[in-house]
Amino acid sequence: MTEPSGRAGSPESGPVLVSPKEVRRIANAAFVGTALEWYDYYLFGTAAAIVFNRLFFSDLDPTAAVLASLATFGVGFAARPIGAFFFGVLGDRIGRRPTLIITIILIGTATGLIGLLPTFADVGLLAPVFLVILRLLQGLAVGGEWGGATTIAIEHAPVKQRARYAALVQVGSPVGTLLSSGAFALVLLFPSETFDAWAWRLPFLAAFPMLIVALWIRVKVEESPIFEELLREDQRAKVPALQVFTKAGGRLVVAIMAAFLGVGGFYVMNTFVVSYVTNNLGGDRQVVVNATLIAAVAQIVVILIFGRLAEKIGPGRVTFWGGIATAAAAWPLFLLIDTNQAWAITLAVAGGIALLTITYAVTGALLTELFPPQLRYSGVSLGYNIAGALSGFLPFIATWMISATGTTASWPAVVILALVALITAFGGLIGERLRVQDKEIVQTVTTPTR
């Protein structure tokens, strides 16, 4: 796993002259687009746990309907590596900016159309088919969105301040959670009959006006100066996504490991817990949705703190210790959830998501430093989204294990969360070693001999 990064002699070896004001504007634009992206994506996760099982899979028994709904949720993750490959090629060939505009239009449109879908009662089996198709489109778009937003943000930033700007992009995730959970918290105030009849559609339909705002902000973004230098020097890779596998395969594995907890752990503590408390413990779904709102606020604080800390000690070290802390806390967290007490569930969800967010805060900073500019959009997108594909079915697997064993305990989720956390800790350890090695190579090549 020690392939050369390709940085020495690349356009990144020299200074990137962008004003601080412009850097902040680019980072804010990346953040806004990412917030819409995760609003759309998380919205589906919440709906899969509390509404799709009843409206789109109503011909199945309750347990099978929940499993089918969560499997549909996981389908979007399976599509993400395909989107990462396709949009990674576009981002590394035609540019970061136009690719990001395409992805934001695709995900916003797909989400809005979900709000217009007929249910199983209206069109039968066509309803879940349409739902799966739109979920696939969401997954394809997300596959190219996050990697591109992170890449364009750090490529405008000074090298020593990249972690803070990469962290600002990550804030889009909890903001998206706040918006999506907040939207569902509001529509859940309607009577159950009204909610099932039409109110559940409102959060999805809101994606249309949000898309217009995000698009208006994103079209003003300038292309990455590093990519423009690649164009001038004709250093673009022919098929960058393929070259990630052939020339940086070890680094891709490290990227997947390092991103695993930030993606997979979140869906265990969010989507799975919402489904588990509602369907297995018979708890109040409003309590869990409210808990995710509190967790999202905690995430923002954690991301900003550890994004700055990564500039001092390195994102790989932050990833390592965040993974270890989450693994150690997995069992106590689910002991609290199993009490089915509102305060305990809230504490566990907020605390668990805050812990795993330590690694998520620095994922962008770590992954972007693993790949050279020629392969960066593709490498970052593939690493993050392959991790997403592997973790997208974790809520389904945990639910299936509980159902198959006939237990009401949450030990399958404990095992899954702890294992994912340890994998990410190991990825952070290796990733930091590669970062240090790359810096030493660049210093050796660029330091003039006397």
Side-chain angles (χ1 to χ4, degrees):
M1 295 185 183
T2 58
E3 300 94 327
S5 69
R7 276 188 185 78
S10 75
E12 205 166 33
S13 298
V16 177
L17 302 176
V18 182
S19 70
K21 182 178 180 180
E22 180 66 12
V23 172
R24 288 192 294 271
R25 190 173 71 82
I26 298 294
N28 287 332
F31 153 73
V32 170
T34 304
L36 172 61
E37 166 202 358
W38 292 126
Y39 168 81
D40 294 344
Y41 210 65
Y42 294 159
L43 204 62
F44 196 103
T46 304
I50 64 177
V51 65
F52 288 159
N53 56 313
R54 292 180 291 103
L55 297 184
F56 288 84
F57 302 97
S58 53
D59 61 329
L60 302 176
D61 67 73
T63 300
V66 171
L67 288 171
S69 183
L70 292 177
T72 303
F73 171 72
V75 162
F77 286 87
R80 281 170 59 169
I82 301 173
F85 189 99
F86 177 75
F87 290 113
V89 171
L90 291 183
D92 284 325
R93 291 293 302 174
I94 70 171
R96 290 42 164 143
R97 180 180 178 273
T99 306
L100 283 172
I101 291 174
I102 295 170
T103 57
I104 201 70
I105 291 174
L106 183 57
I107 192 170
T109 303
T111 302
L113 289 176
I114 290 174
L116 299 174
L117 283 181
T119 65
F120 188 90
D122 298 319
V123 296
L125 289 175
L126 285 177
V129 170
F130 291 148
L131 186 65
V132 169
I133 291 173
L134 291 177
R135 179 59 172 175
L136 284 170
L137 291 177
Q138 274 193 331
L140 290 172
V142 169
E145 164 64 28
W146 180 87
T150 301
T151 296
I152 201 169
I154 69 102
E155 288 187 344
H156 278 89
V159 173
K160 292 183 179 180
Q161 296 180 353
R162 283 180 170 178
R164 71 182 67 180
Y165 289 108
L168 181 60
V169 176
Q170 298 298 72
V171 173
S173 174
V175 169
T177 302
L178 279 171
L179 292 173
S180 60
S181 295
F184 260 105
L186 288 174
V187 295
L188 282 171
L189 296 175
F190 286 100
S192 297
E193 297 79 10
T194 305
F195 175 80
D196 288 351
W198 56 267
W200 70 269
R201 300 178 182 274
L202 298 180
F204 289 95
L205 294 174
F208 286 129
M210 292 174 67
L211 169 61
I212 295 173
V213 174
L215 190 59
W216 178 72
I217 294 173
R218 185 157 282 184
V219 294
K220 296 182 177 181
V221 171
E222 294 183 6
E223 182 56 88
S224 156
I226 290 176
F227 180 78
E228 290 179 338
E229 188 67 16
L230 286 174
L231 285 177
R232 283 193 294 270
E233 297 186 6
D234 194 24
Q235 292 189 17
R236 289 176 297 167
K238 291 184 178 180
V239 188
L242 280 180
Q243 289 184 255
V244 169
F245 289 97
T246 59
K247 294 186 177 181
R251 289 169 181 267
L252 177 60
V253 172
V254 174
I256 294 167
M257 294 169 65
F260 203 13
L261 177 60
V263 186
F266 178 85
Y267 288 107
V268 171
M269 292 304 303
N270 186 312
T271 303
F272 168 76
V273 171
V274 170
S275 176
Y276 176 71
V277 170
T278 303
N279 299 300
N280 292 74
L281 301 182
D284 186 350
R285 60 188 178 184
Q286 187 74 52
V287 169
V288 197
V289 172
N290 290 344
T292 63
L293 289 172
I294 297 173
V297 175
Q299 273 190 289
I300 295 173
V301 176
V302 170
I303 288 172
L304 295 177
I305 291 174
F306 285 92
R308 286 297 188 96
L309 181 62
E311 294 178 354
K312 299 182 182 297
I313 69 172
R317 291 190 182 92
V318 173
T319 300
F320 173 76
W321 289 113
I324 294 298
T326 305
W331 186 49
L333 290 171
F334 278 95
L335 282 179
L336 287 171
I337 291 169
D338 283 335
T339 65
N340 201 19
Q341 298 293 315
W343 69 269
I345 291 171
T346 302
L347 179 61
V349 170
I353 290 178
L355 280 174
L356 64 89
T357 299
I358 294 173
T359 67
Y360 185 74
V362 299
T363 298
L366 181 57
L367 267 58
T368 51
E369 293 198 27
L370 288 175
F371 302 97
Q374 296 91 334
L375 307 178
R376 180 169 288 147
Y377 199 126
S378 296
V380 171
S381 297
L382 284 167
Y384 186 81
N385 289 291
I386 291 175
L390 293 173
S391 61
F393 288 97
L394 293 181
F396 172 86
I397 293 171
T399 302
W400 174 81
M401 289 176 67
I402 290 173
S403 175
T405 57
T407 181
T408 57
S410 57
W411 65 263
V414 174
V415 173
I416 289 172
L417 181 60
L419 182 61
V420 168
L422 292 175
I423 290 172
T424 288
F426 189 50
L429 202 62
I430 301 173
E432 188 62 28
R433 179 183 174 185
L434 291 173
R435 285 184 65 252
V436 174
Q437 174 185 310
D438 292 342
K439 287 183 178 180
E440 291 174 349
I441 292 174
V442 171
Q443 288 171 357
T444 300
V445 174
T446 57
T447 300
T449 57
R450 297 185 180 182

